Amino acid sequence: MHMKKLMALAVAGLMSTTFSGSVAAQPINDNQLSDPRVRQAIAYAIDMDTIAETIFEGQAVPAVGMLPDGPNKPTDLEPYAYNPDKARELLAEAGWDSNRVLDVVYYYTDQQTADLMAAIQAYLADVGIQMNYRLLEGDIGSQISVVPDDPVNGPSKVTWDMLYGARAALALQEYFNRYAYGLKPMIPNIPRMNELVAKVNGTTDPEVQREGYFEMEHIINENVYQIPLYYQQLFTYESDRLNRNGAPYGNEQYNYDWAVETWTIEPDASGKGVLYTNAGPAQFFEVPWQNLGIWVHNKFAFDTILEADGTLTPIGGELADTYSVSEDGLTFTFTLKDGLTWHDGEPITVDDVVFSIGAALKFPITQPVLQATLKKIEGAEAYVAGEADTLAGVTTEGNTVTIKFASIDPNVLLSFSQFAPLPARHFEGVDPLNLQQAPFWQKPIGSGPFKIDEVVMNDYTTLVPFEGYHKGTPKIEQIIARPSSDNDGNLLVNATAGKADFGYTKSAADVPGLEALDFMNIHPIDIPYTRMLWINQFEHPAN
């Protein structure tokens, strides 16, 4: 670890200030983390200013509140500035058991995250909280997102005490949508938050939404239901070999019209135009409704119904030829383009779209904004509960799909710019709850500009142009993708070896090394992206 980082940790105990006063709060169950005083103490114990300047080399902004700075966030939130004396007094008042060892998990594989975990461990130890930390592997979604059967009393089905993760917002509601009843894996139901989630999702009026955001920020901030740590930029990199030919830059974590079919790349020594990238699968391809645009198959192998520009503003149809929203906002209609086919040559039909909408509605870890849109379809509740075999609000005629909503959804066009349908015939008999376990995800068949060619799990995936692509055959002859998670621990090694022509990183530690390569170009992009700690406040088997 860098000497400056070690010094920051060594002086942690010397940087305290005095504290007077108390917090009138009590735990709500036998888990001490259900006591807001304990959660506040954890927030006060972590010196994010020092961490941002040392571990993140000044390229992270300490977070106050969930939302990034702007008009939708109140300015009077408690910043929980580093104050270990205050943390100790809160823990004493709450009767914290100093023998308890917290199980803290994370899913990023970069060195910066490991350094951050070590720093948090040291800061918490300084105030009397023990913790161990470990990397989650395999099906991450099932380890962090499965909700309890009883969202009020638990126990939780996730067994960790704290999770270091992120919220990368497609729409601002996404910061809060999982506070709806029964959607939080680690926080017992909060009735007022249920009401506010419904409020901001039930209107297109930005002033009404802002009122909801303000109140939700205050509730989370006061009770420290989760701890926002820092806001982060995204950095797109591309080698001199790649020419995007005027295609826009945008938020690479989501789907937008990056016009990849028009990109060109200088031929390699054999004369072949090969683009090297990452974000390939290690064990299986992920269902594209969970993390939307971040994986190689999301970017290249699956098309969405509509498309958005780099700011994620819907701009037109992708698989859809035409679309419209009724004047009252309750009916969305689109017509598929003629002649669309899957990569295996089979036609893309409205039946595929209808199946996919229903499956995404039942799939337990569909992306929150998309899930919120689908849940407002007429008959969604009965369909999910198994009381109806079909979605009452979804009908078809010819190539046209009509979706009727029970209430206004403010993000319907945005959601369908992110929604990629799947070929229904490959999922016959598959329970949507277990969709990720289907054999299809070993080598999926998509609809986008590139089709998956060769898959050697945990080694590489190749993609080749789809000659039947409705926007024209792509110009790049082959894409070779190495496996990586959301942050790629091998990025600098591969980039130095000339095996990284395009991708993005959210690890500030990668940036200096990439900038030092004279053939690499870096484009920083401001995005709504908050790293945070989730705290498990349910009773659970491990505690």
Side-chain angles (χ1 to χ4, degrees):
M1 187 182 291
H2 192 283
M3 180 60 67
K4 193 174 181 183
K5 299 173 188 174
L6 290 173
M7 291 175 64
L9 299 181
V11 301
L14 303 177
M15 299 174 64
S16 61
T17 57
T18 59
F19 165 64
S20 61
S22 62
V23 177
Q26 297 293 329
I28 61 174
N29 56 47
D30 288 339
N31 180 0
Q32 283 191 296
L33 293 176
S34 73
D35 189 327
R37 296 169 296 187
V38 172
R39 302 193 298 271
Q40 289 172 334
I42 293 171
Y44 280 120
I46 300 171
D47 184 359
M48 269 311 304
D49 287 328
T50 299
I51 288 173
E53 288 301 316
T54 55
I55 293 175
F56 295 102
E57 303 181 28
Q59 296 186 17
V61 179
V64 178
M66 301 298 298
L67 296 176
D69 293 340
N72 291 300
K73 184 174 78 175
T75 59
D76 59 346
L77 298 175
E78 168 60 49
Y80 293 99
Y82 178 57
N83 194 333
D85 279 350
K86 192 169 187 174
R88 294 185 194 101
E89 186 155 343
L90 285 166
L91 290 170
E93 184 180 323
W96 176 254
D97 179 4
S98 60
N99 291 316
R100 180 174 177 179
V101 180
L102 298 182
D103 177 29
V104 180
V105 299
Y106 61 98
Y107 47 81
Y108 301 105
T109 57
D110 57 285
Q111 185 59 46
Q112 245 179 1
T113 295
D115 290 347
L116 175 63
M117 292 297 98
I120 291 175
Q121 183 183 54
Y123 280 122
L124 294 188
D126 181 55
V127 301
I129 298 175
Q130 300 183 67
M131 65 166 265
N132 291 325
Y133 54 91
R134 58 188 174 91
L135 173 68
L136 295 177
E137 298 179 296
D139 185 359
I140 305 300
S142 67
Q143 298 178 70
I144 68 176
S145 301
V146 179
V147 298
D149 295 327
D150 182 346
V152 177
N153 301 301
S156 67
K157 289 187 176 179
V158 296
T159 58
W160 38 262
D161 292 307
M162 292 199 299
L163 163 70
Y164 169 66
R167 179 64 71 225
L170 174 61
L172 291 185
Q173 295 99 325
E174 186 177 359
Y175 278 101
F176 309 106
N177 278 348
R178 288 200 183 274
Y179 279 94
Y181 182 81
L183 296 183
K184 271 292 188 185
M186 76 299 288
I187 302 174
N189 181 60
I190 307 163
R192 181 55 182 160
M193 290 294 285
N194 302 165
E195 297 167 0
L196 292 167
V197 168
K199 176 178 180 176
V200 300
N201 283 283
T203 180
T204 58
D205 185 337
E207 290 301 322
V208 175
Q209 290 177 340
R210 187 172 295 116
E211 291 174 2
Y213 297 146
F214 271 44
E215 187 174 348
M216 286 191 284
E217 282 276 34
H218 279 119
I219 291 172
I220 295 171
N221 179 252
E222 179 181 351
N223 293 280
V224 194
Y225 288 123
Q226 52 203 89
I227 301 175
L229 296 175
Y230 63 97
Y231 309 120
Q232 188 177 1
Q233 282 185 311
L234 177 150
F235 304 90
T236 298
Y237 63 86
E238 59 189 55
S239 74
D240 286 343
R241 298 179 60 239
L242 176 66
N243 188 340
R244 292 170 64 119
N245 294 309
Y249 293 93
N251 190 338
E252 299 289 341
Q253 298 174 110
Y254 298 104
N255 294 303
Y256 70 93
D257 181 24
W258 38 53
V260 66
E261 70 277 1
T262 69
W263 295 8
T264 54
I265 195 160
E266 292 181 5
D268 59 19
S270 68
K272 189 174 185 178
V274 179
L275 178 143
Y276 292 92
T277 188
N278 54 8
Q283 299 176 17
F284 52 81
F285 291 86
E286 186 183 270
V287 177
W289 307 325
Q290 181 178 348
N291 282 298
L292 304 179
I294 71 175
W295 307 118
V296 67
H297 57 296
N298 298 112
K299 292 181 180 300
F300 304 123
F302 282 99
D303 264 7
T304 53
I305 299 296
L306 305 181
E307 63 184 8
D309 65 14
T311 68
L312 302 183
T313 300
I315 56 173
E318 188 160 80
L319 293 175
D321 183 28
T322 61
Y323 66 95
S324 63
V325 178
S326 62
E327 189 172 339
D328 64 4
L330 294 176
T331 304
F332 172 50
T333 303
F334 60 90
T335 301
L336 294 178
K337 293 176 179 177
D338 292 329
L340 294 173
T341 66
W342 298 104
H343 290 160
D344 62 359
E346 292 294 319
I348 298 173
T349 70
V350 292
D351 291 338
D352 293 318
V353 175
V354 172
F355 157 77
S356 298
I357 291 171
L361 186 57
K362 291 184 176 182
F363 185 55
I365 44 180
T366 291
Q367 200 271 349
V369 172
L370 178 55
Q371 184 182 65
T373 296
L374 300 180
K375 289 178 72 173
K376 291 188 176 182
I377 296 174
E378 286 185 359
E381 186 175 350
Y383 181 72
V384 171
E387 298 168 0
D389 294 331
T390 60
L391 264 171
V394 180
T395 58
T396 66
E397 183 177 348
N399 255 13
T400 299
V401 178
T402 298
I403 303 174
K404 293 185 179 296
F405 294 92
S407 59
I408 289 176
D409 182 81
N411 299 311
V412 59
L413 297 183
L414 177 61
S415 289
F416 279 90
S417 76
Q418 305 300 309
F419 180 64
L422 304 176
R425 67 188 182 282
H426 289 282
F427 296 95
E428 291 182 6
V430 175
D431 185 341
L433 293 175
N434 301 315
L435 195 72
Q436 185 64 81
Q437 284 71 51
F440 179 84
W441 300 111
Q442 291 300 307
K443 188 180 180 181
I445 295 167
S447 55
F450 288 86
K451 59 185 180 181
I452 295 165
D453 183 31
E454 183 180 9
V455 181
V456 180
M457 287 297 177
N458 208 32
D459 193 356
Y460 65 89
T461 292
T462 65
L463 300 93
V464 295
F466 175 37
E467 294 183 357
Y469 188 54
H470 58 99
K471 293 184 182 180
T473 303
K475 294 178 170 54
I476 292 174
E477 295 179 67
Q478 185 185 52
I479 296 172
I480 298 177
R482 298 295 180 187
S484 69
S485 58
D486 201 4
N487 275 338
D488 184 356
N490 295 315
L491 175 56
L492 290 179
V493 173
N494 289 333
T496 302
K499 301 299 183 183
D501 294 304
F502 164 76
Y504 76 88
T505 180
K506 292 176 289 188
S507 174
D510 290 337
V511 175
L514 291 170
E515 289 179 332
L517 300 173
D518 58 10
F519 55 84
M520 194 67 74
N521 304 292
I522 309 299
H523 302 271
I525 300 170
D526 290 323
I527 57 172
Y529 186 90
T530 306
R531 294 270 183 130
M532 65 194 76
L533 290 173
W534 278 278
I535 303 174
N536 191 354
Q537 295 148 51
F538 283 112
E539 294 183 84
H540 60 89
N543 78 12

